[in-house]
Amino acid sequence: MPNTDPLIALRTSLAEQLAALRGVPESELPPALLDISVRRVGQAYYVCPSSWEQLRHEEGGAGRPVPYWARPWPSGVGLAGALYDDPPPAGTRVLELGCGLALPSVMAARAGATVLATDGATDAVAFAAHVLALNDVVGEVAHVDWSTHGNALVARGPFDLVLAADVLYTRANADAAAELFPRLVAPGGRLLIADPNRAGAAHFLQHFEHETEPGKDVSIHTLRFG
Ligand SMILES: C[S@@+](CC[C@H](N)C(=O)[O-])C[C@H]1O[C@@H](n2cnc3c(N)ncnc32)[C@H](O)[C@@H]1O
């Protein structure tokens, strides 16, 4: 008899996509990547590895990068909340950069926006697709690292609304973002940056006129492009 446990079906589907995107057999995926939970924050559900610490440990042991994508950070949750309170009009072309688990994209898609959620980590892209599906909204996902795929992403644009939550945590990221992000926004469009008041964000923002909704834990910066 087929197994109808939805968590097992989710795990099976994720395992196929994660392995395909990594270009490895499923047996080589770290166990903590597939030990998953479905959780809720605010108005959205998400699926993520159950233990971020264990995944970080396993990825570190394999010489892979820290899986920053694998937990919802306060900035992503805060930006999702802001979009829930003030949703984009239906049909808005939305791009999320460094989406991780893509909660802001869920809110934009729920409002009827056309959403492309992207991340430089292939694992994030597979999870983001499942988070969109879990919330019963339609959106595209793509593997996009700004350092290598910037021009290809510009060619897919422009976008009316570009979203980025907690992606300016290194100086290199902030410099790459300052060069790329404005090229992605359509004339009259907006870039929303949610950030936990990091130095990298201050470095990025000094290049642009912006409005800030300050917060103790998360500030949201709006940049408008003529
Ligand atoms: C701290 S996490 C934030 C995740 C999510 N936005 C949130 O707030 O919950 C940073 C995210 O940016 C992504 N990222 C970092 N550098 C990137 C780059 N150069 N290109 C694309 N994504 C990048 C990481 O893979 C990760 O998902």
Side-chain angles (χ1 to χ4, degrees):
M1 201 172 138
N3 196 316
T4 53
D5 182 332
L7 205 54
I8 291 179
L10 194 59
R11 189 175 181 277
T12 306
S13 165
L14 266 168
E16 284 170 8
Q17 291 181 16
L18 290 162
L21 285 163
R22 283 191 181 206
V24 300
E26 287 178 31
S27 56
E28 285 183 22
L29 295 173
L33 190 60
L34 292 173
D35 177 3
I36 55 170
S37 303
V38 172
R39 297 178 183 153
R40 180 177 177 161
V41 60
Q43 303 300 317
Y45 292 95
Y46 62 96
V47 56
C48 67
S50 302
S51 169
W52 188 75
E53 291 298 344
Q54 181 60 26
L55 179 60
R56 182 165 78 156
H57 175 71
E58 291 178 10
E59 291 288 70
R64 287 178 50 89
V66 178
Y68 288 118
W69 61 269
R71 60 193 297 177
W73 295 88
S75 297
V77 175
L79 187 54
L83 291 165
Y84 177 76
D85 292 340
D86 184 14
T92 302
R93 295 166 297 175
V94 172
L95 168 69
E96 184 172 5
L97 296 156
C99 67
L101 299 170
L103 295 169
S105 287
V106 167
M107 290 306 162
R110 190 175 281 168
T114 304
V115 168
L116 175 61
T118 67
D119 201 284
T122 60
D123 293 347
V125 173
F127 273 82
H130 284 77
V131 171
L132 288 163
L134 200 57
N135 288 280
D136 208 15
V137 296
V138 175
E140 273 189 271
V141 297
H143 175 223
V144 174
D145 187 318
W146 320 321
S147 52
T148 43
H149 306 130
N151 289 336
L153 191 58
V154 171
R156 272 195 82 163
F159 301 89
D160 306 310
L161 180 61
V162 176
L163 309 171
D166 200 358
V167 298
L168 303 174
Y169 48 92
T170 64
R171 185 70 176 250
N173 261 7
D175 285 336
E179 194 275 321
L180 176 65
F181 289 10
R183 297 167 57 210
L184 297 166
V185 185
R190 285 182 303 156
L191 167 60
L192 292 185
I193 304 263
D195 186 82
N197 305 318
R198 294 187 194 280
H203 176 68
F204 171 87
L205 289 167
Q206 72 185 357
H207 297 289
F208 305 102
E209 280 187 22
H210 59 278
E211 296 153 24
T212 295
E213 198 177 305
K216 188 169 74 66
D217 300 319
V218 175
S219 296
I220 299 185
H221 310 282
T222 303
L223 286 68
R224 296 176 198 279
F225 293 86

